[in-house]
Each structure stands twice: as C-alpha cells, then as structure tokens.
Amino acid sequence: MATTTERPLRRDAERNRQRILETAGALFAERGLGVSLDEIARHAGVGVGTVYRRFPDKEQLIDALFEDRLAEILATANASLEMSDPWDALAHFIERSMELQVADRALKELLLSTTTAHARIEQGRRQIQPVVVAVLDRARRAGVVREDFDLSDLLLLQHAIGEAAEYTHEVAPEVWRRILCITMDGLRPDRRRPSPMPVPPLDEEQVDCTMREWGRRRRR
Amino acid sequence: MATTTERPLRRDAERNRQRILETAGALFAERGLGVSLDEIARHAGVGVGTVYRRFPDKEQLIDALFEDRLAEILATANASLEMSDPWDALAHFIERSMELQVADRALKELLLSTTTAHARIEQGRRQIQPVVVAVLDRARRAGVVREDFDLSDLLLLQHAIGEAAEYTHEVAPEVWRRILCITMDGLRPDRRRPSPMPVPPLDEEQVDCTMREWGRRRRR
DNA sequence: TCCAAGTGGAGAAGGTCGCTCCGCTTCTGT
DNA sequence: ACAGAAGCGGAGCGACCTTCTCCACTTGGA
C-alpha cells in the first residue's frame, strides 16, 4: 500500500507492529471486536501507546486485519461456483463460510453488520454477494434447493448457526455442524432420509456447562 | 405468597410497585435482562430509591416477574403432550415456545442460561424438561421426526432461531418463521416437498437495514 | 557515539452500572 | 385537622469500563 513511499520502520518497531497485528487477530477471533486496545497491548507485551502510534484508532487496526480474510471468503465462493454439482457447490460454500465464521468471531461480526466506519470491508462484502447469488441461483435453477429459499434467508441462517456455534464454543466446538446438517436437509426440495449427523449430540453435562457458561458470559 | 402475613403496603406504594413490575416486564422483554434499574425507574416514573426499596436487588425483581412466564411454557408443553398427532405436538410446542421467546428477550435469556442466582426460575425450568422429553420421545417413537434428533439439538435450535429473530426484530419481526420452517422441514425423516413458507423473505432494503441496525447495537 | 525513533504505562476524560442515603412529601388513623 | 409513620426522589458514591494522550525514558543504527 502506501508503506513503500514512507521510510521503513525501525527494526524493533516493525516487529512490534507485527506482534500487535497477530495478537489482535487472535483476540478478535476468540472474543469478537469488543476487545479493548489496552487488552491487545497487554497480550502483545507492548504499551498502549505503541498500539496507538501504529494504528490511529481501532477502526484502522480492524481494517488492516480483515481485508484478506474477506478475500478468503470471496475465494471460497468462487471455488464453489466452479464445482460441477450445483447442490455440492451451495453446500460447500455454506459449510466453508460457516467454518470461517465459527473460527473467527470478529469476522462474523463484520460479515453480518454494516458500518460506515469500515469502508474497505464494506467493499469486500459487496464483491462477495454477486458470487453467492450466482451459486444460489444455479442451485435453484437445477431444482436441488427449495424454490422459496431466498438470499436473505441464507444471511439469517448464517447468523443463527453462527450464534449457536458461539453458544457451545467452549464445550463442544463442533456441535454446530448438527444444526447445519438439519438445516441443509431442510433446504432440499425433497428427500427420502435425513443426512447422517456429522458429530454426536451434547450429553447432559455438556448442556449444563453450556448454559452455565453462557449465563456467566452474559453478565459480562 | 408471604404477602398475606405482612401488613399491606400503603396505597400509593402498592401502585408504584405495580408500575415498576409492568415497566420492568416491558423493558426486559424488549431489551433483555441487561436493562439497568435506573432505566426501569425512569420509565416507571419513580426514583431509583423506590425500586431498590421494593426489590432488594435486580435478581429478586427478575424472580418476581418470570415465575409465571415459565409456568406458561410448562402449560404449552403439557398442552402439546395432549395433542393426538405426535408430529403436530412437537411442532406446536417448538413453534409456541419460540413465539414466547421471540416476544420476550429476557425470557429467552433465562431459559437458555443457568444461574445459581435465580433458584425459583431454575426450578421452573426443571419442571419443563421432562415434558419436553416426553413430547420429543413420542414423536421419535412414532417415526415422525429424524431418529438422530436429540433434546440438546432442540436447545441449540431454540438459541439459533431466537438469535435470528432478534437480529431482524426491528425490521421484520416475523421473518424468523421462515428459518423455523426450513428447520422443521429438516427435522422430518423424509418428505416429498417443502412446507410452504409462512411469510415473505426480506427485501434488499430490509437486509441493509437489519445489518446496519445490528452494527449499531453491537457497539452499544 | 549520539540523537531521532521508538517505548511504556500512568492517568485524563468520559462512559456505564448497582446501590445508598437523607431531606422532603404523602398517606392514613385517630 | 393533624401527627407521625410510611414512602419518595434523585444526587451522588465507588467500582468498573473504555479510548486515547503525554512525556520521561530506552534503544537502534548511521
């Protein structure tokens, strides 16, 4: 970007910048965009001042981090579009983008909300949409997905399943795949038998633990 | 309860108590348990002091409010159990309890989390569970629901759909029923064609608006 | 060697929350 | 009609966030 025109950072400064980016990426992924810059600084082993010198505010740090993550989703969508089977293409895209969202809470927050603040991310999302539309349309035209399934429903489903994933994240990080499985079965226009569930359900203790954890998190 | 033993409140005090309960109920329903007692006081047109005199702390106010709401869900479950068709029973219970959760955000938070704090609510939930198990078991034995569907999946589904409902609440308060419809179709062991969607999808403007709103709410 | 570049973290400014306290008002029984 | 008990409002306290600034000090590298 513009870094080529400016004189390079001092060696230690550049190293710190990198550590901040890495740490911020990890913390955002785990806990969402709500993480404070102070906390990022602490985890990166630098002072807050250092963070603020490198990234004038939180928005710019976020922008710097997530541009390529969106590109990854775009690539996934494009890859799906090239798969031969229209249903496999749709299913692959949904599953893969859910995986990305589950692995990175901040990414999910950026994908499902709109802000004037993050212009570049906004633009990234706008590149993704038409490809998704294409994947969905192809499946619909091929008659492999229910006709009344709308693009907006996909958005809601992503949100819903993503939220379920977050709910059980500490206890059974893969159990959201069951919900996805049920949902995908619901998207088929007709079918003889349910798809096999990819993972076992929660046992009683896991349910308890999930609910307790969520209660704890809610009250901050 | 114990009110009979204590001398009754002064007329104005009792009226205030009632206003506080009503206002708190409405605010909790709309915005969840996070609402501060100061805000409840302001909306009820009383001072914070008055709230704290009547309800020693937030927990007790919540307990007082939600006992009978849980009883309502228990009644729904029992009513479902008495329906003749096992699938209708399950579908009715899920739909009805989703409706209650969508109409009252705080109720949802209480149903899906566990706290040592609200003992009476905890107990209410424990009464509901066996009835739900019965409804689900009956459906499974009758072969009208996929065999691998577990009670814990129902919990996740409730969470997921409830969250989707919240996401679109301001813009299209009924659109969650589409997600529920897809999901319910996914629960059937086999089927010829999808159930008809109960409401139209979001249009583009509604999608925009939903995402913007959610972004706004996230950053408080 | 030396000084510009870089650093850390205290703390300012501004926000939230739950909860207390006490001078004042309003009810109610006599 | 009036005393005194009951109830009231809301300023304000303490604890806790957050973002962001500032400046005495340290360090890299020409």
Side-chain angles (χ1 to χ4, degrees):
Chain A
M1 193 91 326
T3 43
T4 46
T5 66
E6 291 141 11
R7 46 140 70 213
L9 293 173
R10 225 168 67 176
R11 195 90 126 274
D12 55 341
E14 180 57 37
R15 194 181 50 225
N16 277 337
R17 204 189 102 99
Q18 223 51 44
R19 286 169 67 127
I20 291 167
L21 278 173
E22 276 163 35
T23 312
L27 284 178
F28 282 149
E30 197 179 301
R31 312 226 303 267
L33 295 173
V35 192
S36 74
L37 291 201
D38 283 57
E39 192 149 14
I40 291 168
R42 202 174 340 118
H43 275 75
V46 303
V48 245
T50 305
V51 177
Y52 280 96
R53 199 167 326 99
R54 238 26 96 200
F55 305 95
D57 59 22
K58 212 175 165 178
E59 245 88 48
Q60 301 210 28
L61 172 57
I62 291 173
D63 265 32
L65 264 172
F66 285 95
E67 250 180 301
D68 35 318
R69 308 293 268 109
L70 286 200
E72 203 171 334
I73 293 200
L74 181 60
T76 301
N78 277 317
S80 302
L81 200 51
E82 278 169 33
M83 293 174 71
S84 56
D85 182 278
W87 170 258
D88 286 352
L90 180 63
H92 172 262
F93 169 73
I94 294 180
E95 185 175 349
R96 185 73 196 117
S97 70
M98 281 310 311
E99 278 168 357
L100 290 172
Q101 277 182 62
V102 167
D104 192 332
R105 206 168 137 177
L107 181 64
K108 186 195 131 201
E109 289 173 13
L110 286 170
L111 273 174
L112 298 180
S113 70
T114 307
T115 330
T116 47
H118 309 281
R120 284 146 88 191
I121 285 166
E122 182 65 16
Q123 173 193 345
R125 222 197 4 257
R126 258 199 286 273
Q127 290 183 307
I128 297 172
Q129 173 154 336
V131 187
V132 180
V133 170
V135 172
L136 182 53
D137 271 3
R138 183 158 71 111
R140 209 159 17 204
R141 273 199 311 274
V144 296
V145 74
R146 53 193 300 161
E147 278 178 6
D148 51 8
F149 184 56
D150 187 80
L151 181 66
S152 65
D153 295 319
L154 182 51
L155 186 75
L156 293 204
L157 281 177
Q158 301 223 75
H159 185 106
I161 298 173
E163 215 61 48
E166 223 164 89
Y167 185 47
T168 55
H169 187 256
E170 331 268 273
V171 174
E174 295 293 326
V175 112
W176 61 270
R177 291 179 190 276
R178 292 174 64 86
I179 306 305
L180 177 61
C181 173
I182 294 171
T183 308
M184 295 306 285
D185 276 0
L187 290 186
R188 312 289 321 230
D190 74 292
R191 45 155 242 278
R192 276 266 131 64
R193 60 182 67 254
S195 324
M197 291 274 201
V199 291
L202 299 178
D203 61 36
E204 257 179 73
E205 195 196 317
Q206 287 175 310
V207 169
D208 265 27
C209 191
T210 299
M211 292 178 67
R212 202 163 21 244
E213 258 310 301
W214 196 64
R216 240 181 28 69
R217 256 179 295 160
R218 292 227 114 246
R219 73 197 86 268
R220 189 103 349 189
Chain B
M1 191 98 317
T3 43
T4 46
T5 67
E6 290 142 14
R7 48 139 69 214
L9 291 173
R10 229 168 66 176
R11 196 90 124 274
D12 55 341
E14 180 56 38
R15 196 181 48 226
N16 276 338
R17 203 189 102 100
Q18 223 52 44
R19 286 170 67 129
I20 290 168
L21 279 172
E22 276 164 36
T23 312
L27 284 178
F28 282 149
E30 197 179 303
R31 312 225 304 267
L33 295 174
V35 192
S36 73
L37 290 203
D38 286 56
E39 192 151 13
I40 290 168
R42 200 171 344 115
H43 275 76
V46 303
V48 245
T50 305
V51 177
Y52 279 97
R53 201 168 324 98
R54 236 29 94 199
F55 305 95
D57 58 23
K58 213 175 164 179
E59 245 88 48
Q60 302 210 26
L61 172 57
I62 291 173
D63 266 31
L65 263 172
F66 285 94
E67 251 181 300
D68 35 319
R69 308 293 269 108
L70 286 201
E72 202 171 335
I73 293 200
L74 181 59
T76 300
N78 277 317
S80 300
L81 202 49
E82 277 170 33
M83 293 175 71
S84 57
D85 184 277
W87 169 259
D88 286 352
L90 179 63
H92 172 262
F93 169 72
I94 295 180
E95 185 175 348
R96 184 73 195 117
S97 72
M98 281 310 310
E99 279 168 357
L100 291 171
Q101 275 183 63
V102 167
D104 192 330
R105 205 169 137 176
L107 180 66
K108 186 195 133 203
E109 290 174 11
L110 286 170
L111 274 174
L112 298 181
S113 71
T114 306
T115 331
T116 47
H118 309 281
R120 284 147 89 191
I121 285 166
E122 183 64 15
Q123 174 192 345
R125 219 195 9 255
R126 260 199 285 272
Q127 289 182 309
I128 297 173
Q129 171 152 339
V131 187
V132 180
V133 169
V135 172
L136 182 53
D137 270 3
R138 184 158 70 111
R140 208 159 17 204
R141 272 197 312 273
V144 295
V145 73
R146 55 193 298 163
E147 276 177 7
D148 51 8
F149 184 56
D150 187 80
L151 180 66
S152 66
D153 295 319
L154 183 52
L155 184 77
L156 293 204
L157 243 32
Q158 300 223 73
H159 185 106
I161 298 173
E163 214 62 47
E166 223 164 88
Y167 186 46
T168 54
H169 187 256
E170 330 268 274
V171 174
E174 295 294 324
V175 112
W176 62 270
R177 291 179 189 277
R178 291 175 64 86
I179 306 305
L180 177 61
C181 174
I182 293 170
T183 309
M184 295 306 286
D185 277 0
L187 290 186
R188 311 292 318 234
D190 73 293
R191 46 156 242 276
R192 278 264 132 64
R193 59 183 66 257
S195 324
M197 290 274 201
V199 291
L202 299 178
D203 62 36
E204 257 180 71
E205 196 197 316
Q206 289 175 309
V207 170
D208 265 28
C209 192
T210 298
M211 292 177 68
R212 202 162 22 243
E213 258 310 301
W214 196 64
R216 239 179 30 71
R217 254 178 297 160
R218 293 224 114 247
R219 75 197 84 267
R220 186 103 352 185

